[in-house]
Amino acid sequence: MLYTSTRDNSIRVSAAQAIAQGISEEGGLFVPVELPHFDIDKISSMTTMSYIDRAKTVLKEFLTDFSEEELDYCVSGAYAAEKFSSPQIAPTVNVDGNKNILELWHGPTCAFKDMALQLLPYLMTVSAKKTADGKTIVILVATSGDTGKAALEGFKNVDHTKILVFYPVDGVSPMQKLQMTTQEGDNVAVCAINGNFDDAQSAVKSIFTNAEIKDELAKKNMMFSSANSINWGRLVPQIVYYFSTYCDLINMGKIKAGDKINVVVPTGNFGNILAGYYAKKMGLPIKTLVCASNSNNVLTDFLKTGTYDKNRKFYTTTSPSMDILISSNLERLLYHMSDGDDKLIRDLMNKLSTDGKYTVSDELIAKIQKEFDAGFTAEQNVDDTIKYHFDKYHYLCDTHTAVAVKVYDEYVKATGDDIPTVIDSTASPYKFSASVLNAVLAGKAPKLDEFAMVDELHKVTGADVPKPLASLKDKSVRFKDVCNKEDMSQMVFKLLDL
Ligand SMILES: *Cc1c(COP(=O)(O)O)cnc(C)c1O
């Protein structure tokens, strides 16, 4: 299996090269040249497997340059039972009728990013051994909250790696902030920036491609890589859980092998839903992928009209991990949907960086609309959805999941398409305790500090408090730096002692 770049399709690299490098030299994203195919017999054969074996079955088709032993080492280490609060790793829960929730937040940081970021450090160190002869890999992360912590936790004390995380100073929840600023490990650093997630992401991307900084790193035998979902090693683990949930639905008696399902994904950077698209292209019987957004509805507009326009008001919402106006992975979708038209992708991405917008052809958007539906919802609906599902089904979901649930309900109302559906649940409700408690209590939550809020949410709902969040209370804050976005490259020098 070889990979090419969305902005230069003459490039060919191995999986290990794509993962170690993170982003292609000319700024494009690595994508598989062709996809493996899973027929329904092969999918059915996975129903009796553990999550780890399902993961190996899917991943070995993509990581063909990894040996069986290497893959086994990576996957078994990443999804070790003691790191997850569910023996199924990513359980599917039936809420009502055809509405099923895929809980992706049972990992060590209580958000779905763990599904990929527990595996990525393994993939990256094995890849670096194959391709980067002993260099120390410096992971630079821009985070809207959850990636930062999940990457820190995945990479902490991993030999031959260092990790630097930048987060928007006012753009993460108090719990997310505490999770990051108390991070342990000898190879980690965390810094807040005055700006939003898109500022952080743009600055990180430009540091990556800055020749001067790269040279300085090379002198110290270091190289950059990325743990954001622009890295193929972040996306490929996410394909697994779409196959896994399908197998679980068969085992639960909700579908028969071969039946189609719909998939609804609360979306930010378009990584999670893109993994669902890859699963579909590989043969998983998915009918429609529904892209759910909060008030930052740039993707809804794109998928409805074909115009992507980031020049709009930016909202800080109760689902901060989706407060994104530049969805990086859309580039990969556009590449595949345009049959690998790298010139088109270069043009569109140039327009995005100069004008902040682009429009694709009627033909291209029509093709995309055959696979994707989209919707968005505003804050009050999010709260009402949390309360309704808790009161009616005793199912407690977080704010991001609630966005998807609400968009799904609207989708069914508008289309009547109520076949069995999986809605991705991307965070534990306790990661956003204040918002969730406020929703459950219909706006009447008491004013409390973050940990008292967790206790109160537990008292009111009875839902289990994840251990990693409860134990934060006893940790001290290690990282207090705040910098301007223009000064991020200096900060990188400082944090790496260059
Ligand atoms: C990252 C994140 C998302 C968005 O996922 P993308 O892959 O960026 O689309 C949604 N919800 C939560 C809780 C997240 O952490």
Side-chain angles (χ1 to χ4, degrees):
M1 163 82 62
L2 290 172
Y3 294 80
T4 186
S5 164
T6 51
R7 299 190 198 179
D8 178 357
N9 66 18
S10 67
I11 287 176
R12 289 292 178 277
V13 298
S14 66
Q17 281 171 298
I19 292 168
Q21 217 174 303
I23 188 166
S24 188
E25 296 268 307
E26 79 302 332
L29 305 183
F30 290 119
V31 287
V33 172
E34 57 190 341
L35 289 174
H37 187 75
F38 280 48
D39 62 25
I40 200 64
D41 289 340
K42 179 154 182 172
I43 296 169
S44 300
S45 76
M46 293 165 72
T47 53
T48 52
M49 293 181 190
S50 66
Y51 192 86
I52 286 181
D53 286 332
R54 289 172 184 171
K56 282 192 231 167
T57 306
V58 172
L59 293 173
K60 80 170 184 217
E61 304 294 334
F62 286 99
L63 309 175
T64 48
D65 50 338
F66 283 49
S67 70
E68 191 113 337
E69 293 74 44
E70 284 169 340
L71 192 60
D72 184 54
Y73 159 77
C74 293
V75 174
S76 305
Y79 302 116
E82 68 271 13
K83 293 186 186 169
F84 286 77
S85 64
S86 162
Q88 291 164 283
I89 309 296
T92 302
V93 177
N94 181 260
V95 174
D96 181 41
N98 282 335
K99 189 187 268 183
N100 302 283
I101 305 255
L102 170 59
E103 294 183 347
L104 298 170
W105 44 263
H106 289 276
T109 77
C110 311
F112 97 98
K113 304 291 196 292
D114 288 327
M115 297 305 300
L117 280 163
Q118 282 299 308
L119 184 58
L120 182 66
Y122 288 95
L123 298 182
M124 198 162 296
T125 45
V126 171
S127 297
K129 249 188 226 139
K130 289 178 189 292
T131 64
D133 43 57
K135 282 204 179 73
T136 291
I137 295 195
V138 178
I139 305 291
L140 275 192
V141 180
T143 184
S144 57
D146 292 327
T147 298
K149 177 60 183 179
L152 288 162
E153 203 48 41
F155 280 96
K156 80 169 173 207
N157 297 334
V158 173
D159 285 346
H160 302 296
T161 70
K162 286 180 188 290
I163 171 161
L164 310 180
V165 171
F166 294 94
Y167 68 92
V169 68
D170 296 319
V172 302
S173 81
M175 187 60 92
Q176 289 176 316
K177 185 168 177 174
L178 257 180
Q179 280 186 304
M180 290 190 278
T181 56
T182 60
Q183 178 65 40
E184 290 157 2
D186 301 330
N187 62 338
V188 306
V190 176
C191 180
I193 71 149
N194 294 312
N196 62 30
F197 170 73
D198 292 313
D199 297 325
Q201 177 162 261
S202 304
V204 161
K205 272 195 197 160
S206 78
I207 294 173
F208 268 128
T209 43
N210 181 318
E212 201 185 325
I213 302 180
K214 269 205 255 180
D215 286 348
E216 283 303 311
L217 281 186
K219 282 186 206 148
K220 300 270 161 110
N221 204 28
M222 295 186 203
M223 67 179 271
F224 279 135
S225 192
S226 162
N228 282 94
S229 54
I230 54 177
N231 192 316
W232 176 250
R234 255 295 290 282
L235 271 182
V236 71
Q238 298 183 225
I239 298 172
V240 174
Y241 50 70
Y242 290 104
F243 284 88
S244 183
T245 191
Y246 190 86
C247 291
D248 288 343
L249 286 177
I250 295 175
N251 290 342
M252 289 156 72
K254 296 288 165 197
I255 55 170
K256 290 193 294 299
D259 287 353
K260 288 211 160 140
I261 62 169
N262 287 328
V263 170
V264 188
V265 185
T267 304
N269 229 346
F270 210 76
N272 199 0
I273 194 166
L274 184 72
Y277 168 76
Y278 282 124
K280 180 176 183 192
K281 288 284 121 185
M282 288 163 67
L284 193 69
I286 294 174
K287 185 177 164 204
T288 300
L289 292 150
V290 182
C291 175
S293 299
N294 63 24
S295 307
N296 295 297
N297 59 353
V298 62
L299 283 168
T300 319
D301 286 349
F302 172 70
L303 292 168
K304 297 279 184 203
T305 67
T307 294
Y308 193 97
D309 187 354
K310 77 171 178 84
N311 306 310
R312 60 178 68 215
K313 188 168 169 341
F314 176 86
Y315 296 94
T316 301
T317 72
T318 54
S319 43
S321 302
M322 297 159 69
D323 292 346
I324 291 177
L325 293 180
I326 306 174
S327 296
S328 303
N329 277 297
L330 192 59
E331 177 170 346
R332 285 187 164 108
L333 181 74
L334 293 168
Y335 178 84
H336 293 301
M337 286 284 184
S338 66
D339 299 317
D341 189 346
D342 57 354
K343 179 176 176 304
L344 173 72
I345 304 304
R346 286 197 301 274
D347 284 351
L348 295 178
M349 294 305 131
N350 270 339
K351 285 199 184 113
L352 184 62
S353 69
T354 51
D355 309 340
K357 63 177 176 181
Y358 60 77
T359 299
V360 302
S361 69
D362 291 348
E363 191 193 346
L364 182 52
I365 194 63
K367 206 168 154 192
I368 293 173
Q369 285 166 344
K370 285 212 177 96
E371 316 264 352
F372 290 86
D373 206 303
F376 75 101
T377 194
E379 303 289 275
Q380 186 54 46
N381 293 331
V382 173
D383 288 2
D384 293 348
T385 301
I386 292 172
K387 182 167 171 50
Y388 177 81
H389 284 76
F390 180 70
D391 290 347
K392 180 141 192 216
Y393 307 111
H394 213 73
Y395 188 85
L396 188 65
C397 66
D398 94 294
T399 45
H400 303 75
T401 309
V403 167
V405 170
K406 179 65 184 173
V407 167
Y408 172 63
D409 288 343
E410 295 291 319
Y411 169 81
V412 172
K413 240 190 251 164
T415 61
D417 178 16
D418 66 347
I419 63 169
T421 294
V422 167
I423 302 171
D424 284 11
S425 175
T426 49
S428 159
Y430 284 100
K431 251 191 130 158
F432 304 94
S433 294
S435 303
V436 172
L437 183 63
N438 206 42
V440 169
L441 297 178
K444 300 203 178 62
K447 288 245 174 306
L448 298 167
D449 77 29
E450 192 61 19
F451 291 106
M453 202 65 94
V454 167
D455 293 340
E456 190 63 21
L457 183 59
H458 175 67
K459 237 197 290 170
V460 170
T461 65
D464 291 337
V465 182
K467 277 203 200 80
L469 297 183
S471 67
L472 278 180
K473 208 187 310 195
D474 309 318
K475 296 195 171 154
S476 49
V477 170
R478 290 182 66 199
F479 300 102
K480 292 180 183 154
D481 282 328
V482 184
C483 77
N484 290 327
K485 59 188 179 196
E486 300 77 30
D487 304 328
M488 275 172 63
S489 50
Q490 275 104 297
M491 198 48 132
V492 169
F493 279 87
K494 183 183 148 200
L495 295 173
L496 292 174
D497 288 324
L498 292 176

